[in-house]
Amino acid sequence: MDKFEEIFVKGFIDEPIDPTLDLFDEIEKLKKEKNAVILAHYYQEPDIQDIADYIGDSLGLSQQAAKTDAEVIVFAGVHFMAETAKILSPEKKVLLPDYKAGCSLSDSCPPNLFAKFKEKYPDHLVITYVNCSAELKAMSDIVCTSSNAVQIVESLPKDQKIIFGPDRNLGTYVAKKTGRDLVLWNGACMVHEIFSMQRITKLKEKHPEAKFIAHPECEDVVLKMADYIGSTTGLLKYTIDNPAKEFIVATESGIIHQMEKSNPGKVFIPAPPNNSCACNDCPHMKRNTLEKLYLCMKNGLPEVTVPMNVIEKARLPIERMLEISARLGI
Ligand code: 13P
Ligand code: SF4
């Protein structure tokens, strides 16, 4: 198998690594050698978060991707995030440690079906959550993330008709917060959909002092119980600013690494999913490992590319989001 076939089959180049190598040192050397920057999402495994140049939520990572002067962006996250970086910096090489790191939410909205859905609402503006494919972004008027979705909808005239996709849970949350009647695509994230209201209720009884915090990708029944709802950056900030000593956390478990680092002595309890076989790990985010990160930097592969005609159309809605966020100081 050549390298490209191997990436197609496995998602990464499965080369043996000398066990005596210190991967942290090797990755630092490769960063300098290749003028590379590592951008990592909070859902990555702790080792990857610790070696990253920047850790953040989807908005923060897009802002970094737009402004970095590194020649290579190593995206420790999932495919749609690396695509967004490529759209914002088409002249740069964008690497993804495992090409198969996808996203169930993005997959729940195939572009051809969304195009037909959009046709039914010709007088609506299209706002898409960043967790979608580049093709979907190219069909949108404005992109948003969980940290600016409410403000982006509020920035539009009250009588503006809006389609919101692909996440129905974030869409429901935004509709409630803004009082707008949004037309929603029926998509969802496999990690945030499985939290159990009954089990969370029991856990809260056991930990009456704990604050319950949740990501807006969770279902409405779960969000109704939350003391705070926010993006991953918002959740992290809340644990720092709030004096509580215990937090029940309804989002992907990777964020707990930063919460523990930022809050020595505080306790973070992952919110329980609805069956005991499940966990709060995103199987897509967790495809990336320190070993794959090292191999991708060494080989310059897997590389994420986006066709130029898609870049041209997808760039404007992302830039609109970045402009509105900058104007509002988000
Ligand atoms: P944020 O990083 O914007 O909070 O989104 C979480 C997520 O699901 C990323 O895939
Ligand atoms: Fe997609 Fe959900 Fe994983 Fe985020 S946590 S990458 S939305 S599947």
Side-chain angles (χ1 to χ4, degrees):
M1 250 196 296
D2 72 17
K3 286 181 175 178
F4 292 95
E5 282 169 335
E6 198 170 13
I7 290 168
F8 183 77
V9 174
K10 294 188 174 177
F12 61 101
I13 298 168
D14 195 5
E15 227 170 66
I17 300 174
D18 175 352
T20 63
L21 285 182
D22 179 327
L23 289 188
F24 284 92
D25 288 349
E26 296 303 313
I27 290 170
E28 287 299 346
K29 272 190 232 159
L30 285 165
K31 270 197 220 173
K32 288 197 189 88
E33 218 175 88
K34 312 224 171 190
N35 187 14
V37 66
I38 301 177
L39 307 183
H41 191 268
Y42 288 124
Y43 295 165
Q44 293 294 289
E45 63 173 40
D47 279 350
I48 294 183
Q49 293 191 34
D50 291 345
I51 192 103
D53 297 292
Y54 178 84
I55 322 163
D57 67 357
S58 308
L59 177 64
L61 292 167
S62 305
Q63 288 164 331
Q64 292 297 319
K67 72 177 188 199
T68 181
D69 48 20
E71 282 168 67
V72 178
I73 297 174
V74 186
F75 218 112
V78 290
H79 194 266
F80 76 80
M81 295 178 168
E83 271 187 342
T84 307
K86 184 69 186 176
I87 293 164
L88 287 167
S89 295
E91 70 294 349
K92 298 191 195 304
K93 187 171 194 166
V94 178
L95 303 176
L96 183 63
D98 188 319
Y99 199 80
K100 292 197 171 188
C103 169
S104 64
L105 176 53
S106 176
D107 292 346
S108 69
C109 194
N112 59 334
L113 298 186
F114 190 76
K116 286 198 185 125
F117 178 71
K118 192 184 151 180
E119 272 172 22
K120 290 200 264 173
Y121 305 96
D123 54 349
H124 285 53
L125 210 80
V126 178
I127 302 185
T128 49
Y129 186 32
V130 71
N131 298 35
C132 67
S133 62
E135 288 81 3
L136 219 75
K137 291 182 177 84
M139 280 184 241
S140 312
D141 295 295
I142 315 180
V143 166
C144 70
T145 74
S146 57
S147 52
N148 59 22
V150 168
Q151 292 87 340
I152 284 181
V153 169
E154 275 172 349
S155 74
L156 300 170
K158 280 213 160 50
D159 57 353
Q160 175 63 59
K161 294 175 178 169
I162 299 168
I163 294 176
F164 188 96
D167 188 10
R168 65 165 178 268
N169 293 323
L170 178 64
T172 303
Y173 170 73
V174 173
K176 271 192 170 181
K177 286 288 266 190
T178 59
R180 307 282 179 106
D181 188 16
L182 308 177
V183 174
L184 303 180
W185 177 266
N186 191 13
C189 156
M190 61 191 290
V191 178
H192 290 88
E193 277 251 299
I194 59 162
F195 294 116
S196 155
M197 193 186 76
Q198 286 81 4
R199 288 172 152 216
I200 293 168
T201 307
K202 277 194 193 144
L203 194 62
K204 278 173 70 127
E205 281 163 13
K206 266 205 214 157
H207 300 267
E209 302 300 321
K211 294 287 177 197
F212 174 57
I213 59 176
H215 193 279
E217 284 177 26
C218 296
E219 289 181 315
D220 190 45
V221 285
V222 170
L223 295 182
K224 276 194 182 122
M225 303 164 70
D227 295 299
Y228 177 78
I229 300 166
S231 76
T232 45
T233 296
L235 296 175
L236 176 62
K237 201 168 171 304
Y238 181 83
T239 64
I240 296 167
D241 297 343
N242 193 285
K245 292 274 174 271
E246 280 187 320
F247 297 84
I248 300 170
V249 183
T251 192
E252 213 272 356
S253 52
I255 185 74
I256 289 179
H257 178 58
Q258 287 306 317
M259 289 177 173
E260 287 175 343
K261 273 178 94 167
S262 308
N263 295 289
K266 292 190 183 181
V267 175
F268 300 94
I269 309 163
N274 56 19
N275 84 64
S276 46
C277 303
C279 70
N280 306 353
D281 281 342
C282 170
H284 305 287
M285 285 280 181
K286 295 295 178 353
R287 283 190 73 95
N288 296 324
T289 60
L290 196 67
E291 289 74 15
K292 289 180 191 172
L293 180 72
Y294 163 69
L295 287 175
C296 106
M297 291 180 77
K298 181 171 166 263
N299 290 298
L301 288 169
E303 181 178 0
V304 171
T305 57
V306 180
M308 211 50 210
N309 62 326
V310 178
I311 291 187
E312 277 159 12
K313 288 189 192 143
R315 200 181 165 114
L316 190 62
I318 304 173
E319 283 178 349
R320 282 197 187 116
M321 167 186 81
L322 295 176
E323 274 161 31
I324 298 171
S325 298
R327 188 157 25 92
L328 300 175
I330 305 171

